[in-house]
Amino acid sequence: MRILVLGGTLEARQLCAQLARRPALSVTVSLAGRTAAPAPMAVAVRSGGFGGAAGLAAYLSEARIDLLIDATHPYAAIISQNAAAAAAQAKVRILALRRPPWVRQPDDRWIEVGDLQQAVRALGDAPRRVFLALGRKDLAPFEAAPQHHYLIRSVDPVTPPLNLPHADYITARGPFGEMQERALLETNRIDVVVAKNSGGESTYGKIAAARALGLAVIMPRRPSLPNVPSVARLEEVLDALDHGDLATARGV
Ligand code: NAP
């Protein structure tokens, strides 16, 4: 069976490591190509966009892919829409591996907003010390609120830097534990966090740390994703492959 995994997440990497151990499978993982030095993969890697749904459909046909696994980040809505459309066009089975969102705990001070522009507005007018735990392509809207002091963490450096008078940059690659995140928030005297509801364990540390410190978390809501068969855990992908019941994975 020839499988294309759409990746860019820890789960995709872990899934590829498991799939690589199955000699009957020929697996390629696709990365968007945004990270300069992606973490090593256990399977063949291709990198860069396909050129929309039509480009992905052409790739699926040319590479004779039997199964497309969408293991992209839950906020990567465009590639997920393209994956659903391309799979339908190329008549290739599709399975999405989607992390369930984090669930608000009693002491969480989450402020859910519709998008990044609303997140900027939710910071308010008075200057605050803000931790932006977002991707590099999500940062530009914050230039509209230069009164705040920002701490910005990304895997690769933000180049050019944002047009902001008060911004500190750090580069780091997760996972990040709660104690490590708490130390970061305290050292930098952060009073509000902006983060996506990514789900999973590897980036939950900042959410738990914000709760422990009584800090608000401004959280853009998840985008809507296409209605394709989907599972929440990579073990369920392996089960579906082992039992040949890909068609029975539940729709969302
Ligand atoms: P997006 O907005 O949904 O996609 C934008 C375009 O990037 C797509 O149309 C596609 O270009 C290309 N693309 C995205 N993922 C790709 C992949 N795995 N392989 C090949 N091309 C891909 O995606 P995004 O939010 O920028 O995310 C890009 C990557 O970063 C994804 O792999 C995602 O899993 C990962 N990531 C995203 C976030 C997040 O918060 N969005 C967080 C962590 C990791 P074409 O139309 O030319 O094919």
Side-chain angles (χ1 to χ4, degrees), residues 216-248:
V217 179
I218 297 173
M219 198 177 263
R221 280 188 207 94
R222 285 188 168 200
S224 59
L225 295 172
N227 186 7
V228 299
S230 103
V231 295
R233 296 179 307 114
L234 72 88
E235 292 76 14
E236 294 176 85
V237 178
L238 301 175
D239 282 352
L241 283 170
D242 288 343
H243 300 115
D245 58 355
L246 286 164
T248 63

Side-chain angles (χ1 to χ4, degrees), residues 6-9 30-32 34 46 48-52 71-73 75-80 82 137-138 196:
L6 299 173
T9 58
S30 174
L31 303 176
R34 310 263 167 76
R46 70 157 302 285
F50 295 94
T72 57
H73 191 272
Y75 283 74
I78 298 171
I79 188 70
S80 290
N82 289 352
K137 74 166 192 172
D138 303 318
K196 296 176 178 174

